[in-house]
Structures are given as C-alpha cells and as structure tokens.
C-alpha cells in the first residue's frame, strides 16, 4: 500500500528468533493487534530473520486490507472533555495539537532550564482510558491513571519525572559541553552512553546508569593496546577513590589521572582520524574503533572495513569470532 513502518527486533543473547521481541510504533501495533498469535507462531517457525521479515510483510498487507480507516469518529464528549482539560492545564504548555485532536505535544522546562516534550496519543475512550505517553527519557515513563484524572495529572507526573532525572542530565550535559564526544553525534535525552576522546585514536566508552548517575559508570577503552592498558590499570587501581559527592566527569579525570581534550582548545579533527581503508570518518553512523597496536603506526579503522579487508587476505586466520591478520597500513 506504499506505507512505511519502522520496526525494531530485539534478539536475546542466544539469538533464538522464537524469544525475540518486536518493538514498533503505536500505529503499527494497532494495525497488527488481532494478528499477535500469528506473529508469535511465525517467530517460532521461521528459520531466520529474513524469512520472518517476509512473513511479517505478508501479514501486514493482509492486516492493512482488513483494517477499517483508523480515524474512528470520536463522541462529542471526547472533544468537550479534552478542550476543558487543555483550558485547565493552560494553552501556554501546549507545543502542538494535530487537526484530528488525537495527538497533543506538551512542553515543559526542568529546574535547570532544559526544554522537554511529552507526546500524548489519545484514544476514543479518553478520559476513561489514559493516553499513550511518548517521552525522550532513558528510563520507562509509566503514568498512573484513574478515569477522573486529567491532562494536568499527566503533566505533573511528567514534571516529577524530569526532576528525578536532573542529576543524570546534569552529568551528561557536563560531558557534552566540556569534552569531545565522538559518539553519538547528536545525543538524545534518552542516550545513556558516550564515547569520549582521550587522545589521538584513543577513547573511552561510558555507560551511565540514569537511576544512579553519580556511581562509577561502565567503562570500555578503545585504542591501541600500549595506550589503553595503562588506562585500564589506572582505573582498576584508583576505583576506590570514586567520590559520589563530585561530578562524574571530575571523577573520571581523577581516576584515570588525565585531562580530556578540551573543546575550547582543540578541534574534533585533531583526534578524530578517518578510517585507513574507506578514508571516511563515519560509516553507517559508526566512527573508527579499531587501532593498529604498533606504536609507530596507530592507524584507526572501522571494524566492518577491517573485518572485510582481513577476510580477503590469504594470510589472515580466524578463531571463533576473532580474526587475526596484518595491518593494511604497516603490515605488522
């Protein structure tokens, strides 16, 4: 029918398709509502992901043919109740309302002046049933709702959730403002990971717990062994010095005994070097994360480029999921 739908399939650790989870937009979920048992059955019986996607497309096309127009006319009480709720809440808090009065975006500012949006998808049974709430949060946002509740109650719960995440966003904003973040390029408010540049072709990937942002995050170093190993040792030796009273960034500096390259002094191009195979920095959104271990070389590569290159060499060898071979640059 010429319609595009976004879908995400989460595979478990054992990569068994039958235990996969499907995530999709509320719109697609609504269309596939009566076909859940068929989807589960197909997940169990399909040998691989590709054949399941083909099956999914067929099911979706049948579902679209059988779905009546999704814009069911709403009862007049729905509109009078919604307009009354918006009046009480205040139109100054409304960022967007669609023409069908089914999707509403509300805006809010947290105590640090950061702007946030919450999107409400209302169904025809509002206010008996709560709207679907979409937020850019690193944690799940669940609304507690009673039939006598209104949009003001959701808005107040949204404000309370913003304050509970204040420390997390403070920590991330300090990292984004004072260091060179290589990935993600334009982090969303829900992003909990940052890959921070330490030096030339050396970086650290940190994963921050949004519920406990002042605790030691998971750290993973990327770079040549001779540079990365001393950093790992420092992190392990100094772990006991972690102080929840000071900022996450300051703690990382103290533990690793380094200063991260400053945005004020250096440009990103000073340490964000292009891949030695494809000569680009970004490849499908990824930055080069494999570095030659020879101190005189230190050339970075994208994992995908390097893997493809080494697979084509007769001299390289593979053991399980690790491939060994010579550097395309220095042949070491």
């Amino acid at each position: 029918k010429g319609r595009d739908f976004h879908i995400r399939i989460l595979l478990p650790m054992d990569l068994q398709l039958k235990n996969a989870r499907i995530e999709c937009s509320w719109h697609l979920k609504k269309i596939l509502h009566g076909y859940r048992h068929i989807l589960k059955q197909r997940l169990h019986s399909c040998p691989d992901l590709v054949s399941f996607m083909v099956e999914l497309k067929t099911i979706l096309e049948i579902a679209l043919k059988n779905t009546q127009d999704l814009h069911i006319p709403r009862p007049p009480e729905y509109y009078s109740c919604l307009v009354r709720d918006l009046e009480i809440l205040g139109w100054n808090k409304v960022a967007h309302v669609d023409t069908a009065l089914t999707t509403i975006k509300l805006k809010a500012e947290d105590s640090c002046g950061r702007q946030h949006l919450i999107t409400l998808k209302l169904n025809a049974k509002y206010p008996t049933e709560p709207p679907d709430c979409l937020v850019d949060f690193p944690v799940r946002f669940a609304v507690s709702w009673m039939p006598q509740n209104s949009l003001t109650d959701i808005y107040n719960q949204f404000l309370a959730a913003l304050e509970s995440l204040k420390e997390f966003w403070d920590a991330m904003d300090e990292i984004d403002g004072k260091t060179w973040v290589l990935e993600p390029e334009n982090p969303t408010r829900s992003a909990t990971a940052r890959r921070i540049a330490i030096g030339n072709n050396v970086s650290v990937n940190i994963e921050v717990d949004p519920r406990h942002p002042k605790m030691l995050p998971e750290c993973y170093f990327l770079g040549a062994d001779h540079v990365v190993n001393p950093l790992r040792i420092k992190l392990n030796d100094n772990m006991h010095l972690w102080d929840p009273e000071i900022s996450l960034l300051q703690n990382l500096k103290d533990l690793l005994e380094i200063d991260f390259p400053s945005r004020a002094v250096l440009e990103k191009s000073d340490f964000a070097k292009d891949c030695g195979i494809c000569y680009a920095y970004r490849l499908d959104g990824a930055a080069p994360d494999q570095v030659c271990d020879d101190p005189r070389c230190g050339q970075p590569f994208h994992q995908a480029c390097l893997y493809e290159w080494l697979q084509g060499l007769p001299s390289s060898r593979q053991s399980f999921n690790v491939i060994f071979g010579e550097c395309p640059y220095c042949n070491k």
Side-chain angles (χ1 to χ4, degrees):
K1 293 210 168 199
R3 309 234 323 249
D4 283 329
F5 294 98
H6 285 202
I7 188 160
R8 178 194 282 173
I9 296 175
L10 300 176
L11 291 171
M13 294 295 278
D14 59 5
L15 303 179
Q16 289 291 309
L17 202 56
K18 64 173 186 274
N19 298 324
R21 275 181 54 216
I22 300 170
E23 291 184 356
C24 60
S25 68
W26 66 279
H27 197 211
L28 180 57
K29 195 175 172 183
K30 212 168 181 180
I31 294 165
L32 292 172
H33 182 67
Y35 297 84
R36 282 186 178 181
H37 64 289
I38 300 174
L39 283 177
K40 273 188 179 170
Q41 198 185 339
R42 294 290 191 271
L43 269 176
H44 273 263
S45 58
C46 281
D48 54 47
L49 199 53
V50 178
S51 51
F52 172 70
M53 290 305 289
V54 175
E55 295 269 8
L56 176 64
K57 190 168 175 285
T58 311
I59 295 166
L60 181 54
E61 295 196 330
I62 295 164
L64 279 171
K65 271 181 199 155
N66 296 338
T67 305
Q68 297 307 313
D69 191 13
L70 290 170
H71 299 296
I72 312 149
R74 313 271 160 127
E77 305 79 64
Y78 166 88
Y79 297 105
S80 56
C81 178
L82 179 58
V83 171
R84 188 189 68 235
D85 279 2
L86 287 168
E87 291 278 345
I88 296 166
L89 177 66
W91 288 97
N92 59 327
K93 297 183 177 77
V94 178
H96 169 79
V97 181
D98 72 339
T99 49
L101 289 183
T102 56
T103 302
I104 293 162
K105 287 186 182 179
L106 304 176
K107 57 187 175 185
E109 198 174 272
D110 64 23
S111 56
C112 292
R114 287 180 284 250
Q115 298 292 325
H116 302 271
L117 285 176
I118 178 168
T119 303
L120 308 176
K121 306 272 186 193
L122 295 100
N123 64 32
K125 290 182 182 168
Y126 177 84
T128 316
E129 289 182 8
D132 288 336
C133 302
L134 310 174
V135 289
D136 189 12
F137 281 5
V139 292
R140 192 167 161 266
F141 176 62
V143 172
S144 60
W145 182 266
M146 304 282 280
Q148 64 269 29
N149 284 150
S150 70
L151 294 185
T152 306
D153 297 294
I154 290 181
Y155 193 77
N156 290 335
Q157 289 177 48
F158 180 54
L159 289 177
L162 291 181
E163 285 316 297
S164 72
L165 289 163
K166 177 188 171 299
E167 281 190 349
F168 168 72
W169 285 323
D170 285 348
M172 294 318 230
D173 282 356
E174 188 187 12
I175 288 167
D176 292 339
K178 293 184 178 174
T179 69
W180 277 112
V181 173
L182 302 177
E183 289 176 285
E185 253 189 317
N186 300 303
T188 58
R189 287 280 170 215
S190 57
T192 55
R194 294 291 189 276
R195 184 174 160 204
I196 310 167
I198 294 175
N200 215 345
N201 304 327
V202 190
S203 55
V204 61
N205 205 68
I206 64 163
E207 181 78 43
V208 182
D209 181 349
R211 291 286 184 215
H212 307 100
K214 292 206 164 175
M215 302 306 283
L216 174 68
E218 281 185 47
C219 297
Y220 175 68
F221 294 98
L222 294 144
D225 285 349
H226 66 278
V227 186
V228 160
N229 286 340
L231 290 168
R232 276 199 201 107
I233 292 162
K234 275 180 191 166
L235 182 68
N236 290 333
D237 289 352
N238 296 336
M239 216 175 263
H240 64 284
L241 299 173
W242 188 271
D243 180 1
E245 296 303 310
I246 62 174
S247 79
L248 185 132
L249 184 61
Q250 192 54 53
N251 266 312
L252 284 174
K253 286 180 183 177
D254 294 348
L255 262 67
L256 299 173
E257 298 169 20
I258 57 164
D259 253 337
F260 290 102
S262 159
R263 294 178 76 93
V265 183
L266 293 162
E267 289 299 315
K268 198 171 183 176
S269 55
D270 291 337
F271 38 75
K273 297 284 185 281
D274 294 343
C275 168
I277 294 170
C278 72
Y279 301 113
Y281 183 65
R282 295 238 162 248
L283 177 74
D284 297 332
D289 58 355
Q290 303 294 313
V291 180
C292 175
D293 283 331
D294 192 294
R296 288 167 301 179
C297 177
Q299 176 64 41
F301 305 97
H302 293 118
Q303 186 167 330
C305 294
L306 193 58
Y307 185 74
E308 207 173 309
W309 175 280
L310 292 174
Q311 269 195 319
L313 292 181
S315 58
S316 63
R317 65 190 197 283
Q318 191 159 349
S319 169
F320 297 105
N321 63 341
V322 181
I323 194 161
F324 301 87
E326 295 163 356
C327 168
Y329 239 64
C330 67
N331 296 327
K332 289 284 190 299

